[in-house]
């Protein structure tokens, strides 16, 4: 399967290139960077310290979508929406790991998914998606007597907060309780906030160092506390999941999918 990478010279982009190069059944279709990038014209293999791959970095995403069976996008919301349009236009599968998308943008991606397979997930890690499923099940089992707090930490360069994964965990906890996250979320606390309200789902965001991604969901009640934790020490786990999702799209009908679909996870 021919897989392309947009934003291929970034940290995550390079990790994705390496993963495609070493994955059986996958072939590197190419990669793109914005116009003016010093990476343009370089061989993608050489870019990541591997043998020449025979394809070079370009600034033409449309040509990449035309050449690829699937494209993986871990960029930013604005370019991701342009890439989603290209995916729908060319019928190319699109794997989106971009975080910070608005509700309106996600809805538009759902509409574009009527024309081509699109996998959208706040986190491509197999372990994190298992954590999503467990969070929903535990929230449903424990009920409102257990206070839910979500704590996440990432490296100093991350620009969105809370992380997309933390938001996914919040949605999972809210779904387990049968409520909408927006109705229950407490995004930050400062000053004299008063006592905690029953049913709140709290978030705490930490930034520093080179932390790849730590997430903990705390269920706290009188007398006991249950904690579910995932710690990523290598971005390769996200790349592995994204390439797995791309291969899963081979022959798939158009639609908006999640990593639950890719992994066959269920919370029923």
């Amino acid at each position: 399967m021919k897989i392309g990478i947009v934003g291929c010279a970034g940290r995550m982009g390079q990790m994705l290139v390496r993963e495609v190069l070493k994955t059986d059944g996958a072939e590197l279709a190419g990669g793109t960077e914005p116009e003016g990038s010093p990476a343009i014209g370089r061989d993608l293999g050489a870019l990541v310290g591997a043998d020449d791959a025979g394809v070079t970095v370009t600034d033409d995403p449309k040509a990449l979508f035309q050449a690829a069976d699937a494209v993986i996008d871990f960029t930013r919301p604005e370019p991701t929406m342009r890439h989603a349009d290209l995916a729908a236009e060319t019928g190319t599968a699109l794997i989106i790991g971009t975080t910070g998308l608005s509700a309106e943008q996600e809805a538009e991606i759902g509409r574009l998914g009527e024309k081509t397979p699109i996998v959208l997930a706040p986190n491509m890690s197999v372990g994190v998606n298992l954590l999503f499923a467990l969070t929903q099940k535990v929230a449903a089992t424990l009920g409102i007597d257990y206070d839910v707090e979500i704590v996440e930490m990432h490296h100093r360069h991350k620009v969105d907060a809370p992380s997309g994964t933390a938001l996914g965990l919040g949605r999972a906890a809210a779904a387990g309780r049968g409520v909408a996250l927006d109705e229950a979320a407490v995004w930050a606390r400062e000053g004299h906030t008063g006592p905690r309200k029953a049913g709140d789902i709290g978030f705490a965001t930490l930034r520093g160092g080179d932390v790849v991604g730590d997430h903990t969901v705390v269920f706290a009640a009188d007398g006991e506390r249950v904690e579910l934790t995932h710690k990523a020490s290598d971005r390769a786990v996200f790349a592995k999941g994204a390439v797995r999702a791309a291969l899963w799209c081979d022959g798939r009908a158009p639609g908006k999918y999640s990593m639950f679909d890719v992994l066959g996870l269920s919370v029923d």
Side-chain angles (χ1 to χ4, degrees):
M1 189 174 186
K2 296 179 179 179
I3 300 175
I5 311 296
V6 291
C8 61
R11 286 183 299 175
M12 193 64 218
Q14 291 189 42
M15 189 72 71
L16 288 163
V17 169
R18 293 188 190 97
E19 189 63 29
V20 172
L21 288 173
K22 69 182 184 181
T23 299
D24 290 339
E27 177 184 343
L28 193 60
T32 62
E33 275 290 299
E35 184 178 356
S37 167
I40 291 173
R42 294 191 63 187
D43 183 274
L44 275 164
L47 179 71
V48 300
D51 294 337
D52 283 359
V55 287
T56 58
V57 182
T58 75
D59 59 4
D60 187 351
K62 184 171 185 178
L64 177 63
F65 275 82
Q66 290 172 330
D69 298 314
V71 171
I72 303 175
D73 182 343
F74 276 72
T75 59
R76 298 182 309 280
E78 293 75 16
T80 291
M81 296 310 298
R82 294 194 293 272
H83 298 147
D85 282 329
L86 285 172
E89 178 184 340
T90 59
T92 306
L94 180 61
I95 315 304
I96 301 175
T98 301
T99 59
L101 293 163
S102 68
E104 292 77 14
Q105 288 171 325
E106 291 196 12
E108 176 65 8
I109 288 170
R111 186 186 69 80
L112 294 170
E114 296 173 4
K115 299 181 179 180
T116 194
I118 297 179
V119 177
L120 173 63
N123 194 302
M124 298 285 178
S125 157
V126 173
V128 163
N129 280 278
L130 179 60
L131 182 61
F132 288 150
L134 289 171
T135 296
Q136 184 168 336
K137 288 185 176 182
V138 172
T141 301
L142 297 181
I144 202 169
D145 289 338
Y146 285 72
D147 299 324
V148 179
E149 294 288 319
I150 298 167
V151 183
E152 60 102 339
M153 183 170 185
H154 284 82
H155 53 86
R156 65 171 66 94
H157 302 292
K158 188 167 178 61
V159 297
D160 57 311
S163 70
T165 301
L167 292 173
L169 291 167
R171 293 189 189 103
R177 289 181 166 179
V179 300
L181 179 60
D182 288 345
E183 298 172 3
V186 177
W187 303 114
R189 296 185 179 92
E190 181 180 6
H192 187 73
T193 61
R196 191 186 200 281
K197 290 187 291 186
D200 282 352
I201 297 176
F203 290 81
T205 299
L206 310 179
R207 293 288 178 267
D210 62 353
V211 178
V212 173
D214 293 353
H215 295 86
T216 296
V217 185
V218 181
F219 297 87
D222 293 344
E224 68 176 356
R225 186 169 70 247
V226 177
E227 297 184 359
L228 304 176
T229 295
H230 179 274
K231 295 186 177 183
S233 58
D234 191 331
R235 286 181 180 80
V237 297
F238 311 131
K240 288 179 184 294
V243 173
R244 181 170 175 173
L247 294 173
W248 179 85
C249 284
D250 188 19
R252 195 70 50 181
K256 180 186 174 186
Y257 299 99
S258 72
M259 285 299 288
F260 273 32
D261 298 309
V262 174
L263 301 173
L265 290 173
S266 172
V267 292
D268 296 335

